Amino acid sequence: MSQRLFPRLSPDRAEHLRRQLLSRDDPTIFDPSLLDDVMSESRAFPATGGQAISRTDLQQIRTNCLEAQRTAKTLTTKKMIMSNFDLAVGRELYIASSESTGEFGQAQVWDFLTLVLLPDLATWRFSPTSKGAAARFASGNRRHVFRRLWRRWHVFGPEIVQDGFLDEDNYASFLERRLPTEHAAVARSAFKAIRNSDYTGPRREYVRVFMRQLLQASGLVEINGDDTSHLNEVISYVDQVTQNRLRPEE
């Protein structure tokens, strides 16, 4: 099957659009003419083989993400609205990436998705005037408005993400670190240990200490997920050390 290619936004143009987005006081809008212009550029698609995604398919991705926003807005609290939106948009991006191996690892593709295809949704999710806004719209940043959502599905898989056990802080503990991001088997095994742990204290603290212990262990032994038995032993050890560290002193 031919790989489906997404448009790239050149670094110069991305920087110009990003500055515009971050400096706006009025709501960001989607500009169909900009989409057409970017797609017509000679450098929009790499000459490496594969089938360029059609404008119709891009428009469908946009329509699906707009529907995710509309559905989320029917909920009652801001936390529920944003969580529902994040889950649904992450799903759409994950589905879109299924025929595009490697495309969603490209910063220029994320610039296109954020600054050309979905700029209104990006700024609805994170205001350009909010604290840390620049990181949310920087394609290489792990806190990127959309890339972080796709990475959840890409690393953990649909079953874990749809489980709903991990919250925003938990995801950050995992996905802002190289080891679990680069080795999905490690992230998934760690999740199962956390999910099944009998620790009854605050989960945020447990996940934070667990990940710290896991990273420390990775400096002593190789952890890559290739050897399931070895990985399970390491994860079990990390879980025990974590619980010991968090156990109240008698």
Side-chain angles (χ1 to χ4, degrees), residues 35-167:
L35 173 60
D36 292 333
D37 185 42
V38 170
M39 291 188 70
S40 66
E41 289 184 350
S42 59
R43 297 179 297 172
F45 298 96
T48 55
Q51 181 67 42
I53 189 171
S54 68
R55 192 187 192 287
T56 299
D57 286 345
L58 287 172
Q59 187 62 52
Q60 187 60 57
I61 293 172
R62 175 171 169 78
T63 297
N64 292 347
C65 290
L66 285 171
E67 178 60 21
Q69 181 195 44
R70 188 197 67 78
T71 300
K73 283 183 174 181
T74 65
L75 301 176
T76 55
T77 68
K78 182 176 181 180
K79 182 177 180 179
M80 292 173 62
I81 290 170
M82 296 308 179
S83 294
N84 189 275
F85 175 81
D86 285 354
L87 179 65
V89 170
R91 181 190 300 114
E92 292 300 331
L93 294 172
Y94 177 70
I95 292 171
S97 72
S98 63
E99 298 176 15
S100 305
T101 305
E103 287 294 276
F104 280 52
Q106 302 296 322
Q108 292 182 19
V109 170
W110 285 108
D111 278 334
F112 167 79
L113 291 171
T114 308
L115 303 171
V116 178
L117 188 66
L118 305 170
D120 47 342
L121 293 183
T123 53
W124 174 81
R125 181 60 180 89
F126 290 107
S127 169
T129 60
S130 62
K131 183 179 180 180
R136 297 297 187 180
F137 303 106
S139 57
N141 195 289
R142 293 183 180 182
R143 296 190 175 187
H144 183 269
V145 56
F146 295 132
R147 194 171 191 171
R148 68 192 177 88
L149 305 180
W150 167 80
R151 188 180 284 115
R152 296 174 186 180
W153 289 77
H154 177 68
V155 172
F156 289 103
E159 182 179 349
I160 291 177
V161 176
Q162 293 175 140
D163 176 273
F165 180 77
L166 297 176
D167 61 19

